[in-house]
Amino acid sequence: DFCISFKNSIIMKNLFQLTIALLMVAVSICSCDFIGKKAKEEVRDELKDELANLSQDLPIVLLEGHMTITDVDLEGDFVVFTCEVSEVISMSMSEEVASSDENLARVIDGMDEDAVETFIDNGVGLKYVYYVQETGDYLMEVSMSATKMKSLRNKMNTHTLQPKTFLEQTKAEVAAMKFPIPMEDGVWLENAYVEGRDICYVYSMEYEVDPSSITQADLQRTKALCIEGLRGQTLISSRKDEIKKERINYVYIYRDSRGVEFARVK
């Protein structure tokens, strides 16, 4: 069933943005309760207490079955988040993209200004260490020291560095991906690309499909699933105004085993 296949593979709708989504979520978790003009050791002690409280809620599932924060601690001059991601997610993650100045600028842009000052003033940076949940293998690390945070913040204030737009971020992450990516039995994400203001996902099925068997009702039900899934994503909803302002579209393209396109939803 066409609609069932789409629903089971809906996780791909926002796969390209998951790295930055985790960064933003992690920063929001530890942002502001310890803020104040206090001695460095006092601030660090309060931060340790905040992270200890957070640890009681671990593991924190960010995407069911695919992304989980398993540990958080203050290690030296970094708040370190340890994360497990599924093999499917790991195929879309790029250390080069996630560590770029433009990407880290988006992290800073999403933080409370007082929190940024507190991290900088007290020499505390952020670090994210990723492992593949099925194998336990190390995947990648993204870090931003307090010195780096200060440098990027200053560049942002003088407008010599701009955080990547939603569309620019997606383009960069798509370029770093390796296809095809298995979605479920008989379904693959064959390709993804940005064309103008369209973010396109191309799925392939391991069976033949008669395009004439796909009814308008099928397409409308699938479109409704697309919209429901997109609205349910925190990152998408947080960037909704930008997506609407820039007239960004999501396009889902379906091809059968012969490469014949049998459905397209925009």
Side-chain angles (χ1 to χ4, degrees):
D1 183 273
F2 171 53
C3 294
I4 292 176
S5 291
F6 179 86
K7 189 173 183 179
N8 288 341
S9 62
I10 193 76
I11 187 175
M12 288 306 302
K13 63 191 171 294
N14 196 26
L15 187 58
F16 307 136
Q17 304 294 328
L18 284 173
T19 303
I20 188 64
L22 177 55
L23 295 176
M24 301 292 275
V25 170
V27 168
S28 68
I29 288 171
C30 68
S31 288
C32 302
D33 287 345
F34 60 94
I35 285 179
K37 295 296 183 181
K38 303 174 183 178
K40 287 186 178 180
E41 287 307 312
E42 186 178 356
V43 171
R44 290 194 179 212
D45 287 343
E46 290 189 17
L47 177 55
K48 287 180 182 178
D49 290 340
E50 289 294 323
L51 296 179
N53 291 334
L54 174 61
S55 295
Q56 296 177 13
D57 296 325
L58 295 174
I60 297 173
V61 177
L62 299 179
L63 186 61
E64 186 68 40
H66 291 274
M67 181 169 284
T68 304
I69 299 177
T70 60
D71 192 24
V72 58
D73 201 0
L74 181 63
E75 299 180 8
D77 293 331
F78 289 90
V79 174
V80 180
F81 293 89
T82 302
C83 317
E84 291 184 355
V85 297
S86 68
E87 289 183 337
V88 170
I89 295 295
S90 71
M91 293 178 185
S92 75
M93 295 177 69
S94 163
E95 186 169 352
E96 180 180 359
V97 172
S99 299
S100 69
D101 286 356
E102 293 83 2
N103 199 46
L104 295 178
R106 284 187 61 191
V107 177
I108 297 172
D109 196 46
M111 294 173 65
D112 182 277
E113 291 183 10
D114 289 336
V116 175
E117 285 297 326
T118 300
F119 274 95
I120 292 172
D121 290 346
N122 293 278
V124 178
L126 298 167
K127 182 181 294 184
Y128 309 86
V129 184
Y130 299 89
Y131 293 88
V132 180
Q133 64 185 19
E134 289 88 348
T135 63
D137 291 341
Y138 170 82
L139 178 61
M140 59 181 265
E141 179 180 299
V142 179
S143 65
M144 177 168 49
S145 67
T147 301
K148 179 73 169 180
M149 190 182 297
K150 181 177 181 179
S151 174
L152 295 177
R153 192 274 314 270
N154 291 343
K155 289 179 181 179
M156 292 167 67
N157 288 343
T158 58
H159 305 290
T160 57
L161 173 66
Q162 295 293 330
K164 281 185 177 178
T165 66
F166 188 86
L167 200 58
E168 289 172 340
Q169 182 68 25
T170 302
K171 284 182 180 179
E173 293 184 341
V174 166
M177 291 184 70
K178 297 179 181 179
F179 298 101
I181 298 175
M183 299 305 307
E184 56 179 292
D185 289 343
V187 182
W188 295 75
L189 180 67
E190 198 69 36
N191 195 12
Y193 56 91
V194 175
E195 188 174 78
R197 299 196 179 280
D198 291 347
I199 301 173
C200 303
Y201 303 77
V202 182
Y203 294 93
S204 65
M205 313 295 175
E206 293 181 352
Y207 45 83
E208 292 186 11
V209 180
D210 179 3
S212 65
S213 68
I214 306 300
T215 67
Q216 198 61 33
D218 288 331
L219 295 175
Q220 289 302 317
R221 284 196 299 271
T222 302
K223 186 172 184 177
L225 285 172
C226 294
I227 294 170
E228 179 184 356
L230 290 167
R231 285 177 174 165
Q233 292 300 306
T234 301
L235 182 65
I236 295 293
S237 60
S238 70
R239 306 299 292 273
K240 181 176 65 176
D241 290 342
E242 179 182 354
I243 291 170
K244 290 171 65 176
K245 181 179 179 181
E246 298 299 322
R247 297 181 178 274
I248 295 171
N249 306 296
Y250 287 86
V251 182
Y252 302 89
I253 302 164
Y254 293 86
R255 297 174 180 165
D256 70 4
S257 58
R258 302 165 297 176
V260 174
E261 181 179 324
F262 63 86
R264 179 180 294 237
V265 175
K266 183 172 182 177

